[in-house]
Amino acid sequence: MSRTGSILTLNAGSSSVKFALFDASRDLHQSMRGEIENLSSVPHFHAVDDQGRVLIERRWKAEDNASYPHVIEELLSFIESHLGKGGLTAVGHRIVHGGADFTAPVKLTPKVIDAVEALTPLDPLHLPLNIAPIRAVAEARPRLPQFACFDTAFHHTIPKVARTYAIPRDLTEKGVRAYGFHGLSYEYIAGQLQQHAPDLAAGRVIVAHLGAGASLCALKNGQSIATTMGFSALDGLMMATRCGIIDPGVLLYLGRHGYNFKQIEEMLYRKSGLLGVSGISGDVRELLASDADEAREALDLFSYRLAWEIGALVSALGGVDGLVFTAGIGEHSAEIRANVCARLAWLGLRLDPWANEAHAGVISLGESTVAARIIPTNEEAMIAQHSQALLAH
Ligand SMILES: Nc1ncnc2c1ncn2[C@@H]1O[C@H](COP(=O)(O)OP(=O)(O)O)[C@@H](O)[C@H]1O
Ligand SMILES: CC(=O)OP(=O)(O)O
Ligand SMILES: [Mg+2]
């Protein structure tokens, strides 16, 4: 296995590319992380080292017209100028959709890149953004190995009954089924449970990944058996700007009453969720700080929906031993955790209010029949581990 050089991870989202650098000679120690934001307008590039020291703060100007390949080239040059011995040995990417066939990380050969690109109809919003940096790196550094880590892959263990929609069979056969997302995060959490709470890891655990995008995963003995996101990253929980579960009849109603396809898509992905209900913000911090009734209503709905979907996964698992909170909201919002745990008291879940306020690792009381924990996620570390393993082949 390659134990020198560094692995760069890229997580390309709708408006930003998050990146991190891992040192293979130091047990994949994360030596740097950063982000290029505002890709669609005036990009802003910043990065910090493992001590949180700022390594770069660069803002392009509007007249620069910075193109995607140009920004990626700057990122690669910056990374290379900060590398120690061994240089850059690989780039690992988070790819949101792997369709039915990509059930494990793979090396990105030209053939595989084309195959991933062919999945674009399944996720026209995310896949072009994921593929652009792969092509940009391939062009700038053709000999640098690149690997794809799919957000859907971890969910390949979900049984057919849990991924099938009650629609005509031919549509299911064409790939209209639930896939599930945030798989790299769930895989990381499953690994952490295995390491730090092996008894719980062997049982029935619900993981709540609550970031701007949010979903739940039901883990049985470390494997995903159900999840709240489905065919797309719109399903399940209410999110920052996405609707979550909705009666499909609403979409028919809108289509019949003057909304075109683009407007419906925009409404579901960017104008709904916490932002849509509050009319204020999709950010939990801003809503908690607001006195407006609409902010309170949005947060209440968020917790209600969360508890509702947890109930569904308890049923899928046939009971529950543990509940894990992770990602931005899950790791940092004691109030959301307290609200949802209060709604789950019927399960025998008893929150320890002090531990919860302190964002401790274990936040349930000893008498609780469900163990509640906070585990910070690390999708980047998961990508680096997979890339290192594939490099060795
Ligand atoms: N201290 C905090 N208190 C409450 N919510 C927080 C806090 N910090 C972050 N968040 C929430 O976490 C969200 C971002 O989560 P994150 O996992 O970083 O999202 P993503 O990776 O999906 O963009 C923010 O939109 C905000 O709502
Ligand atoms: C799949 C998904 O929702 O991703 P994110 O949380 O990065 O938006
Ligand atoms: Mg995220």
Side-chain angles (χ1 to χ4, degrees), residues 102 106-119 135:
F102 289 110
V106 287
K107 181 162 187 190
L108 283 158
T109 61
K111 213 169 135 194
V112 174
I113 300 176
D114 289 344
V116 174
E117 196 156 44
L119 296 172
R135 292 218 184 271

Side-chain angles (χ1 to χ4, degrees), residues 11 18 94 182 209 211-213 327 379:
N11 179 352
K18 290 183 185 161
R94 174 185 176 215
H182 294 134
H209 175 106
E379 291 158 298

Side-chain angles (χ1 to χ4, degrees), residues 90 109 115 166 168 171 185 224 226 277 279 331 353 393:
T109 61
L171 285 173
S185 174
S224 171
V277 176
E331 291 166 30
H393 282 278

Side-chain angles (χ1 to χ4, degrees), residues 201-347:
R204 301 158 300 181
V205 178
I206 295 173
V207 185
H209 175 106
L210 309 176
S215 70
L216 300 173
C217 180
L219 292 176
K220 199 173 211 165
N221 195 14
Q223 293 198 327
S224 171
I225 63 133
T227 187
T228 56
M229 279 182 171
F231 177 75
S232 75
L234 280 177
D235 204 3
L237 300 177
M238 173 179 176
M239 303 175 220
T241 64
R242 288 173 241 168
C243 59
I245 193 166
I246 187 172
D247 176 353
V250 174
L251 312 184
L252 299 179
Y253 169 85
L254 294 177
R256 221 177 264 130
H257 289 84
Y259 276 67
N260 65 33
F261 178 80
K262 272 274 148 221
Q263 288 168 321
I264 294 177
E265 188 174 74
E266 181 72 7
M267 188 277 283
L268 297 175
Y269 274 96
R270 298 191 217 288
K271 293 188 172 164
S272 297
L274 292 167
L275 172 67
V277 176
S278 69
I280 297 169
S281 169
D283 193 311
V284 165
R285 284 166 292 195
E286 285 181 41
L287 296 180
L288 286 170
S290 167
D291 293 329
D293 289 345
E294 292 83 355
R296 184 59 31 212
E297 200 180 311
L299 291 170
D300 283 348
L301 186 56
F302 185 84
S303 299
Y304 176 86
R305 292 285 195 93
L306 192 45
W308 171 286
E309 296 276 337
I310 288 171
L313 292 197
V314 171
S315 168
L317 283 166
V320 64
D321 306 303
L323 174 64
V324 175
F325 290 96
T326 194
I329 303 166
E331 291 166 30
H332 303 294
S333 180
E335 183 161 344
I336 296 285
R337 290 192 303 258
N339 283 347
V340 72
C341 288
R343 289 180 187 277
L344 296 173
W346 61 274
L347 280 172

